[in-house]
Amino acid sequence: MSVKSFLMMCFVVCSTAVFGQQSPVDRAVALGQRGDWAQALIILEPEVKKMPWQADSHAWYVLGYVQKELHKASGSSELNAPERLGAVHSLDRALSMGPNREDDALIRAALDFLARSFFRDAIDRIEGFTEGSDEEALALFGRYEAIILNLDPMANVTGQKADLYRYLGQANGLLLDRQEGRDLALETILFERSVAHYSVALELVPKDYPGRYNLAITLYNQGVRQLKRINHETSMFELMEIQEACVGLFEQALPVMEAAHLLKPNRLETLKGLMTIHYALSQQEESSRYRDAIDRLIEKRP
């Protein structure tokens, strides 16, 4: 339903008198028809805090709709954008009061729009990811999840949440690749965040192939980064410490890559990963076995 159609419906339902005798709800609707959402808010917002409008589901719905339109006009994607938070609050309150069937459908549609706006903004944070954006992306998704579950307590957003955590793992991994060797403290932070995000994603959806493969690669690559720290100035003690850390990371990567392989046994990338990790662990026989499997798979391809 368009904004104009919605407002016309409100006008027909609410308007019972000439403009000078209109209620604050009617006046807000009339102002909205003219696109004056800001003035509609000024008229209506103080009134819904007082009786009788405080207990009027329709009044809270109209206020929420006005706030939603102001948010759209603002173009804000901030987590705590006041118009968006206000709209969610007003529409939630309207819904909790048991509105009539027509209002109920319109309230739910408006809340769904706001939920999807939070979800889009969470994804935007990942697409334009900068160090430390994790918490805001997760908070935006949390707002999306809360609205969806309020609309339907049986809704399942597990897959979407797992995807979000996997995307965050990838985003931190990409930053890690770009700043390699520049700041060891930041390298550690990004690596640990990446692994933590992948781990949560896999807890949510254990049979997620991309999550397992990417986690294995992240662990393996961190081991390779440690090897690159070795140079002519590396002491014997440091060398032993680095080698131990590398082996530990390669050993962590191996079962994760094996789990990915079990999910999709004929993926060339996974076979290459297993061949490489076994080679890094000096397990020549196992590495050769996966190299042979790669050759057989390539031969079968047209």
Side-chain angles (χ1 to χ4, degrees):
M1 176 176 290
S2 68
V3 174
K4 184 175 181 180
S5 298
F6 158 77
L7 290 170
M8 285 298 292
M9 177 179 288
C10 286
F11 188 79
V12 170
V13 171
C14 296
S15 183
T16 56
V18 297
F19 186 82
Q21 299 173 315
Q22 281 181 326
S23 72
V25 176
D26 297 333
R27 293 170 64 196
V29 169
L31 288 164
Q33 280 185 294
R34 300 202 294 267
D36 195 347
W37 302 107
Q39 188 61 31
L41 182 69
I42 291 170
I43 294 295
L44 187 55
E45 190 171 34
E47 297 300 324
V48 297
K49 298 176 182 178
K50 300 183 275 187
M51 295 298 288
W53 306 109
Q54 189 179 54
D56 189 307
S57 171
H58 187 77
W60 282 102
Y61 160 51
V62 173
L63 175 61
Y65 200 95
V66 168
Q67 291 166 317
K68 176 177 75 74
E69 292 303 311
L70 283 169
H71 170 67
K72 285 170 62 178
S74 75
S76 175
S77 65
E78 294 302 311
L79 172 65
N80 294 318
E83 293 89 355
R84 179 160 58 177
L85 292 183
V88 172
H89 169 75
S90 299
L91 293 165
D92 276 345
R93 185 153 184 173
L95 193 63
S96 71
M97 292 179 177
N100 62 49
R101 187 173 62 182
E102 292 79 8
D103 276 7
D104 184 88
L106 293 167
I107 292 165
R108 289 176 180 277
L111 282 169
D112 181 72
F113 170 85
L114 292 165
R116 286 184 285 108
S117 76
F118 281 118
F119 184 80
R120 286 193 302 271
D121 290 341
I123 297 301
D124 285 345
R125 295 299 190 279
I126 296 172
E127 291 179 348
F129 190 78
T130 57
E131 196 275 321
S133 295
D134 314 63
E135 292 305 317
E136 190 171 19
L138 290 170
L140 285 161
F141 184 88
R143 296 262 170 86
Y144 161 77
E145 182 179 21
I147 297 172
I148 292 299
L149 292 177
N150 183 41
L151 292 173
D152 178 8
M154 301 303 293
N156 186 349
V157 298
T158 300
Q160 290 172 307
K161 185 183 289 188
D163 286 343
L164 184 78
Y165 274 101
R166 176 160 47 83
Y167 295 152
L168 284 170
Q170 291 173 333
N172 278 277
L174 288 171
L175 281 187
L176 179 58
D177 290 340
R178 289 201 290 268
Q179 72 85 48
E180 183 176 318
R182 299 177 188 172
D183 184 334
L184 291 180
L186 180 57
E187 179 180 298
T188 300
I189 290 170
L190 293 172
F191 168 69
E192 290 177 350
R193 282 181 187 161
S194 184
V195 170
H197 290 318
Y198 281 130
S199 298
V200 174
L202 290 169
E203 287 175 8
L204 292 167
V205 182
K207 293 185 177 180
D208 179 47
Y209 170 82
R212 292 206 174 274
Y213 175 78
N214 288 336
L215 174 56
I217 291 297
T218 299
L219 291 164
Y220 171 78
N221 285 344
Q222 185 66 3
V224 173
R225 286 188 191 92
Q226 305 313 304
L227 288 176
K228 290 180 178 179
R229 290 168 50 196
I230 299 172
N231 56 42
H232 66 281
E233 295 180 350
T234 304
S235 69
M236 182 61 68
F237 177 78
E238 289 173 326
L239 178 62
M240 292 173 62
E241 193 175 53
I242 290 171
Q243 287 176 331
E244 184 178 352
C246 292
V247 170
L249 287 161
F250 296 152
E251 287 178 341
Q252 289 180 61
L254 183 57
V256 182
M257 188 66 80
E258 288 173 336
H261 175 59
L262 288 174
L263 291 171
K264 295 192 176 182
N266 294 318
R267 289 295 291 264
L268 192 60
E269 61 189 5
T270 318
L271 291 169
K272 288 180 178 179
L274 287 166
M275 178 189 72
T276 303
I277 294 171
H278 278 296
Y279 184 83
L281 289 168
S282 300
Q283 297 169 351
Q284 300 296 335
E285 184 177 344
E286 291 86 348
S287 182
S288 296
R289 181 160 57 87
Y290 284 108
R291 184 186 298 112
D292 292 341
I294 291 168
D295 292 340
R296 289 193 299 272
L297 184 60
I298 292 173
E299 288 174 3
K300 290 180 181 178
R301 292 186 173 182

